[in-house]
Amino acid sequence: MPDSSAAPSLRTRVRRMAELADYDATTLYAIIDAAYLCHIAFHDAGGAHCIPTACWRDGGHLYIHGSNGSRLLKRLTEADSCVAITHLDGLVLARSAFNHAMNYRSAMIYGRFEKVAGAAAKQAALAALMDKLAPGRQAEVRAGSAKEMAATSVLRIALNEAAAKVRSGAPRDDADDMALPVWAGVLPFAQRRTAPLADAGAGALAPGYVRDWCQE
């Protein structure tokens, strides 16, 4: 679990606006758990790449999955990479153009991914993904076949070299600008759930987690 008092490594130390850094595991885990996607930056013979992919957390690791033939998954076990997650919470409109900002929660994770070995461990990791998408879903759907499981790789990266950065609150204007006759404040963003859309061929009744989708 990351130390809450200091950056766990030089490359995770926040230098720009260091006062916004947060090295506490609780903050880091909350940012990851609120995300369905992450962006992974890596380098290979073709140059630098940054690829979005589904992610989930189980304990002190972040997990991803994909095809055995994926260039991304192969490269991630060969060299260190960087994982980024960001949630935009608001546009901060200040009295001066220079002091405009954004409210956000972000996380950066460094290290090398490792392959989840063993059929049972891989199945448990994928079940955790299903539980993140919709608790109880795993017990209702057709489980992955032997062929499907064999064609899928699950990777994980430890969260012991990571940092969060969080900005919240009002504009931070210079004292000389406070009297300017300009509206200042925050234009908030929020993730919103909309009504479920049933597939045309769906014959089963909507389970509770579908019916309650918009109420959560």
Side-chain angles (χ1 to χ4, degrees):
M1 180 176 290
D3 180 7
S4 61
S5 61
S9 68
L10 283 176
R11 60 181 175 180
T12 58
R13 182 166 64 86
V14 176
R15 293 167 173 79
R16 170 68 177 151
M17 302 187 73
E19 70 277 9
L20 301 182
D22 192 329
Y23 304 111
D24 184 74
T26 301
T27 303
L28 174 69
Y29 290 178
I31 291 171
I32 296 172
D33 291 346
Y36 292 94
L37 294 170
C38 66
H39 286 78
I40 304 178
F42 67 101
H43 187 277
D44 65 8
H49 312 274
C50 185
I51 296 180
T53 189
C55 66
W56 68 100
R57 181 184 68 85
D58 190 4
H61 289 83
L62 178 138
Y63 288 76
I64 64 172
H65 76 301
S67 167
N68 291 343
S70 165
R71 174 185 59 173
L72 169 66
L73 268 59
K74 183 176 186 296
R75 185 58 178 156
L76 293 183
T77 61
E78 298 173 342
D80 283 9
S81 58
C82 178
V83 182
I85 294 173
T86 303
H87 303 284
L88 178 62
D89 295 325
L91 303 179
V92 183
L93 308 187
R95 291 163 180 82
S96 70
F98 185 81
N99 284 322
H100 279 58
M102 296 182 185
N103 285 338
Y104 60 89
R105 292 159 289 138
S106 65
M108 299 282 282
I109 303 154
Y110 293 87
R112 187 171 302 187
F113 280 84
E114 62 181 3
K115 194 171 184 178
V116 174
K122 187 162 67 170
Q123 289 172 351
L126 292 173
L129 168 60
M130 294 297 291
D131 194 51
K132 175 181 176 65
L133 297 177
R137 184 75 176 168
Q138 177 69 28
E140 298 178 351
V141 299
R142 177 182 67 79
S145 67
K147 181 178 179 181
E148 290 169 335
M149 294 297 290
T152 303
S153 292
V154 178
L155 271 58
R156 70 178 192 173
I157 186 172
L159 297 174
N160 53 15
E161 192 179 359
K165 192 174 180 182
V166 179
R167 202 267 186 211
S168 62
R172 297 163 192 173
D173 275 302
D174 298 336
D176 292 345
D177 294 328
M178 293 301 292
L180 292 174
V182 179
W183 188 91
V186 178
L187 303 179
F189 278 93
Q191 190 177 66
R192 183 172 66 91
R193 299 186 179 192
T194 58
L197 303 173
D199 183 73
L205 294 175
Y209 55 80
V210 173
R211 298 193 302 271
D212 296 339
W213 175 251
C214 292
Q215 278 68 54
E216 294 184 15

